[in-house]
């Protein structure tokens, strides 16, 4: 112990170390933000400053990084995205950290993006905006207005009213529901966009691993559900009655809005649902499904040029 104490005393007496320390101390005390802090806290005396010099140095080093902020991804602070702040309490100086504005913005964006879930939907659809929808056709303008109105007025849990967007291939129906999802996100309303053919195909596969109920629960409980390209799937009685029918009944009872896109209008979709893989025709069961869809949606026709050929 004596040898350690002796070494420390000798180190403190070292002139080079002392010069470096004094230079560091001068820089710390000259830092404008520290000067301002000390002026605002007259209770902090000289001994308190000297005893907490390393805390002040830590604050200066981290705060200077913020002064010359290189962006959140390149933040060199000990805790990336966190800004230091000086506090005085019970005779001690303390450095606390809180998220900087860039960190808060990034966290909020991440939180908002988590409100939009998707299954089998291209990334560009998830980034869609009403500002990017071409208004080159009266039908597209009318449909865009109807979608924007829904996004502003949707009230999951209070009103199950949704939309049924129908029209030929490539006119922008899927892009519009992506724009709806982003407007809903701004209102803190979560949504799920599901490409119906792939979802129904996955449900058939789920029979073998016992995850049917889990997958159905995730979809049927979405605040706003968007079934994209319904009618493009191969129909089976089980998918129609025990998957789609159950989902729609639950959402009607819970007053959760559902939006559909399809190449079929109501009547054409009903005919499609009446035919099963085995070649049978079940008009009554198809009509029962369509009664729920008609009751819960407003038809919106979308026309115009095929955007995928431009």
């Amino acid at each position: 112990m004596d040898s350690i104490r002796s070494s420390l005393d000798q180190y403190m007496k070292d002139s080079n170390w002392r010069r470096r320390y004094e230079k560091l101390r001068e820089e710390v005390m000259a830092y404008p933000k520290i000067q301002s802090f000390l002026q605002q806290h007259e209770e902090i005396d000289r001994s308190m400053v000297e005893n907490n010099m390393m805390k002040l140095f830590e604050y200066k080093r981290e705060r200077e990084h913020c002064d010359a902020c290189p962006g959140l991804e390149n933040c060199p602070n000990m805790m990336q995205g966190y800004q230091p702040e000086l506090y005085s309490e019970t005779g001690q100086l303390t450095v606390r950290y809180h998220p900087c504005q860039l960190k808060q913005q990034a966290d909020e964006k991440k939180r908002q993006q988590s409100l939009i879930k998707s299954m089998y939907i291209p990334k560009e659809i998830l980034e869609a905006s009403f500002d990017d929808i071409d208004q080159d056709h009266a039908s597209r303008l009318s449909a865009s207005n109807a979608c924007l109105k829904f996004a502003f007025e949707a009230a999951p849990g209070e009103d199950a009213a949704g939309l049924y967007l129908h029209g030929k291939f490539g006119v922008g129906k899927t892009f519009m529901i992506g724009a709806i999802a982003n407007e809903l996100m701004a209102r803190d309303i979560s949504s799920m966009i599901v490409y119906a053919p792939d979802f129904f195909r996955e449900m058939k596969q789920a029979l073998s691993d016992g995850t049917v109920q889990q997958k159905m629960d995730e979809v049927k409980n979405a605040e706003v559900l968007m079934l994209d390209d319904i009618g493009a799937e191969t129909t089976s009685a089980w998918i129609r009655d025990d998957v789609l029918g159950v989902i729609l009944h639950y959402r009607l009872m819970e007053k959760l809005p559902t939006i559909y896109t399809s190449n079929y209008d109501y009547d054409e979709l009903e005919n499609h649902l009446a035919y099963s893989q085995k070649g049978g025709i079940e008009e009554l069961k198809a009509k029962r499904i369509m009664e729920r869809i008609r009751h819960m949606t407003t038809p919106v026709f979308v026309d115009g040029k095929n955007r995928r050929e431009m």
Side-chain angles (χ1 to χ4, degrees):
M1 181 66 70
D2 289 341
S3 61
I4 295 176
R5 179 67 185 177
S6 175
S7 298
L8 286 173
D9 290 342
Q10 188 64 35
Y11 186 70
M12 291 292 290
K13 294 176 182 178
D14 180 85
S15 59
N16 289 332
W17 184 89
R18 176 60 63 180
R19 282 196 297 271
R20 289 197 299 270
Y21 175 80
E22 288 300 328
K23 184 175 183 297
L24 174 63
R25 183 185 181 283
E26 290 175 6
E27 291 175 354
V28 166
M29 298 306 295
Y31 185 54
K33 288 183 172 62
I34 290 180
Q35 287 185 344
S36 176
F37 177 82
L38 294 176
Q39 290 170 4
Q40 294 171 19
H41 295 79
E42 296 180 354
E43 76 279 7
I44 301 176
D45 58 23
R46 182 181 180 87
S47 64
M48 188 174 173
V49 170
E50 295 299 331
N51 291 336
N52 290 273
M53 189 56 65
M54 293 311 295
K55 287 292 183 183
L56 293 175
F57 170 69
E58 175 189 335
Y59 170 78
K60 174 180 177 292
R61 181 191 61 202
E62 298 290 281
R63 194 61 182 80
E64 282 182 329
H65 292 159
C66 297
D67 293 342
C69 178
L72 183 59
E73 291 184 359
N74 298 312
C75 175
N77 282 357
M78 290 186 296
M79 294 190 295
Q80 191 176 58
Y82 285 80
Q83 194 172 69
E85 188 171 350
L86 276 174
Y87 288 87
S88 171
E89 50 186 31
T90 63
Q92 295 292 324
L93 292 177
T94 303
V95 180
R96 298 177 186 169
Y97 291 84
H98 59 83
C100 69
Q101 186 175 4
L102 293 180
K103 172 69 172 170
Q104 292 176 23
Q105 291 172 349
D107 288 347
E108 176 62 14
K109 183 177 181 180
K110 185 177 180 180
R111 184 193 69 80
Q112 288 188 327
Q113 288 176 339
S114 71
L115 294 175
I116 303 178
K117 297 180 181 179
S118 65
M119 290 186 182
Y120 323 107
I121 297 296
K123 181 180 178 181
E124 61 266 23
I125 298 302
L126 302 181
E127 298 173 350
S129 165
F130 282 102
D131 292 336
D132 298 326
I133 297 177
D134 291 331
Q135 308 291 347
D136 56 352
H137 193 283
S139 171
R140 199 192 307 278
L141 176 61
S142 176
S144 177
N145 289 338
C147 291
L148 188 58
K149 183 174 185 292
F150 171 87
F152 287 158
E153 298 178 357
E158 300 176 13
D159 188 354
L163 299 174
Y164 185 87
L165 306 181
H166 64 100
K168 62 186 180 181
F169 177 84
V171 292
K173 302 183 296 295
T174 303
F175 194 88
M176 287 184 186
I177 63 174
I180 291 175
N182 281 293
E183 286 296 331
L184 291 173
M185 177 185 71
R187 295 179 56 205
D188 275 352
I189 295 176
S190 63
S191 61
M192 175 175 282
I193 309 177
V194 178
Y195 182 61
D198 282 349
F199 170 65
F200 292 142
R201 190 176 302 115
E202 181 176 316
M203 290 301 294
K204 292 177 183 177
Q205 296 171 352
L207 286 169
S208 60
D209 59 25
T211 60
V212 169
Q213 194 59 50
Q214 176 185 341
K215 287 179 168 58
M216 280 187 60
D217 286 346
E218 184 178 4
V219 171
K220 75 181 186 182
N221 284 294
E223 279 195 281
V224 176
L225 175 63
M226 306 184 195
L227 290 176
D228 183 41
D229 212 7
I230 190 167
E233 71 284 349
T234 301
T235 308
S236 74
W238 180 73
I239 287 293
R240 180 193 60 212
D241 303 330
D242 297 324
V243 177
L244 182 59
V246 170
I247 289 172
L248 299 190
H249 177 73
Y250 178 87
R251 296 186 64 77
L252 178 60
M253 293 300 99
E254 296 299 317
K255 296 183 179 180
L256 297 173
T258 307
I259 298 177
Y260 308 81
T261 76
S262 181
N263 293 335
Y264 295 147
D265 62 22
Y266 283 152
D267 292 336
E268 291 168 335
L269 182 61
E270 183 173 330
N271 289 333
H272 172 77
L273 293 174
Y275 289 87
S276 67
Q277 281 179 315
K278 297 181 179 180
I281 300 177
E282 296 178 306
E283 294 180 354
L284 185 59
K285 291 185 176 181
K287 191 175 293 293
R288 186 177 297 123
I289 296 292
M290 288 308 304
E291 283 178 356
R292 290 171 182 165
I293 294 178
R294 284 187 170 98
H295 178 70
M296 295 168 63
T297 61
T298 298
V300 177
F301 178 61
V302 186
D303 199 2
K305 297 178 180 179
N306 187 334
R307 319 310 291 178
R308 300 178 192 180
E309 293 179 353
M310 297 178 66

